[in-house]
Amino acid sequence: MKKLKIAVQKSGRLHDESLKMLKDCGIAIDNGRDQLKASAKNFPMEIYYLRNGDIPQYLIDGVVDCAIIGENLLIEKGSDIAIAERLGFSKCRVSLAVSKIFEYDSIADLKGKRIATSYPETTRRYLAEKGIEADLHIINGSVEIAPNIGLADAICDIVSSGSTLFKNNLKEVEVILKSEAVLAVSPSIPKALEAILDKLRFRIQSVLKGRDSRYVLLNAPNDKLEAVMAILPGMRSPTVLPLAQEGWSSIHSVVDQDVFWEVINQLKDAGAEGILVCPIEKMVL
């Protein structure tokens, strides 16, 4: 059987979270020490550990069939590559930053300035959209030091928490784009492997839906069931089971994590008691 070739970052946070996603999808990887390629034991897949910046070209050339990669890098080096799934981790943004003493009012203040960046194409497109001409200095590595050593007036780089900017006396002034890890697919993936890719996507979707949801069990008096159920629609409708105590029922449902605390407060106000909340490992729709 043919195997799906997937690329992941060789090392770093995206590497760890990518492997965790595959593990949560039930894919066991036979990974030896310092290997650049490994096979899955229970899924038709080969994992390639590659340098992050090389992955878009491997996708374009069809060396790998898909990859877990930061959207920011895909936009910079492989804008024609399709995104199959957004994975919800390794979130960051690509931003412009200047020294804290730089008097910045608008993007027009960067006209004619020197901007250091590891994302020249992304930066160039953004400046062109804004009608700004600037002098780009391409740097691989510690971009944030450029203003401090007089190499540039501003930088364009990825920002997560902002702590690196703070440590280097920089301030974020423009967010160019927001990014997260994505499952990207080669434009030349063989037809024979599309069914395997669909199985992988199905597993990923089940994991992501589980992460975004909570399983809720609660008790409520029967005369308040209608009010409680109106708050808990569930995937189709809540499950209602009679309790041993007459006049009471147990209600089971699923709540989106984003609105969880608001819903819990509404349930209490509607008469729910003994509310139990459980994480969901996977949710198959």
Side-chain angles (χ1 to χ4, degrees):
M1 175 185 275
K2 289 190 175 182
K3 293 184 177 181
L4 186 73
K5 293 175 288 185
I6 184 170
V8 300
Q9 189 182 50
K10 187 177 179 181
S11 60
R13 189 181 67 168
L14 184 55
H15 166 90
D16 296 338
E17 291 183 294
S18 298
L19 293 187
K20 184 180 186 305
M21 170 59 76
L22 295 177
K23 182 180 178 181
D24 290 346
C25 288
I27 298 172
I29 301 169
D30 187 9
N31 188 28
R33 184 177 178 83
D34 297 327
Q35 281 185 296
L36 296 180
K37 186 176 80 168
S39 295
K41 298 177 183 178
N42 57 352
F43 193 83
M45 173 187 285
E46 288 181 336
I47 299 89
Y48 288 67
Y49 301 104
L50 303 175
R51 198 171 69 87
N52 207 32
D54 295 337
I55 292 178
Q57 193 61 50
Y58 278 99
L59 285 166
I60 292 169
D61 293 342
V63 176
V64 294
D65 304 309
C66 60
I68 296 177
I69 186 173
E71 184 181 7
N72 57 299
L73 190 57
L74 206 61
I75 291 171
E76 175 67 23
K77 294 189 173 184
S79 57
D80 293 333
I81 299 171
I83 294 174
E85 298 291 339
R86 296 184 177 276
L87 303 179
F89 58 81
S90 290
K91 291 187 177 182
C92 64
R93 53 197 181 273
V94 177
S95 296
L96 288 164
V98 298
S99 169
K100 288 181 179 178
I101 62 173
F102 189 110
E103 295 183 4
Y104 185 93
D105 292 319
S106 71
I107 189 70
D109 293 327
L110 295 182
K111 186 176 182 179
K113 300 297 184 182
R114 299 165 299 165
I115 302 176
T117 183
S118 298
Y119 296 88
E121 293 304 318
T122 302
T123 308
R124 193 175 288 116
R125 283 195 296 267
Y126 182 78
L127 293 176
E129 289 172 5
K130 300 295 183 180
I132 302 297
E133 292 186 6
D135 183 14
L136 296 189
H137 290 250
I138 302 172
I139 297 177
N140 294 317
S142 303
V143 176
E144 62 276 353
I145 199 174
N148 293 329
I149 61 176
L151 180 63
D153 304 296
I155 69 166
C156 181
D157 201 15
I158 59 170
V159 179
S160 295
S161 65
S163 62
T164 302
L165 294 181
F166 180 81
K167 291 174 184 176
N168 287 277
N169 294 312
L170 301 175
K171 60 184 178 182
E172 188 176 7
V173 292
E174 298 280 340
V175 177
I176 292 180
L177 61 89
K178 293 183 178 179
S179 172
E180 64 183 285
V182 298
L183 178 69
V185 180
S186 169
S188 56
I189 182 173
K191 275 279 187 184
L193 293 176
E194 289 181 357
I196 301 175
L197 177 65
D198 287 343
K199 289 180 181 179
L200 175 62
R201 292 183 61 190
F202 172 75
R203 294 190 185 195
I204 288 173
Q205 291 165 3
S206 298
V207 170
L208 293 177
K209 188 61 180 175
R211 288 180 181 179
D212 292 340
S213 306
R214 293 293 180 267
Y215 190 71
V216 177
L217 302 87
L218 57 89
N219 299 330
N222 290 343
D223 60 356
K224 296 182 178 179
L225 280 181
E226 188 173 336
V228 170
M229 289 171 63
I231 301 167
L232 282 173
M235 288 180 285
R236 286 189 180 273
S237 63
T239 300
V240 181
L241 301 171
L243 292 180
Q245 182 178 349
E246 190 175 345
W248 283 75
S249 295
S250 173
I251 304 175
H252 301 207
S253 191
V254 173
V255 176
D256 287 342
Q257 183 171 263
D258 290 343
V259 297
F260 169 74
W261 287 110
E262 180 182 344
V263 169
I264 292 299
N265 288 332
Q266 292 176 13
L267 290 171
K268 290 183 66 177
D269 292 342
E273 298 180 7
I275 302 172
L276 178 63
V277 182
C278 304
I280 300 174
E281 185 174 314
K282 299 170 185 69
M283 193 160 78
V284 180
L285 300 178

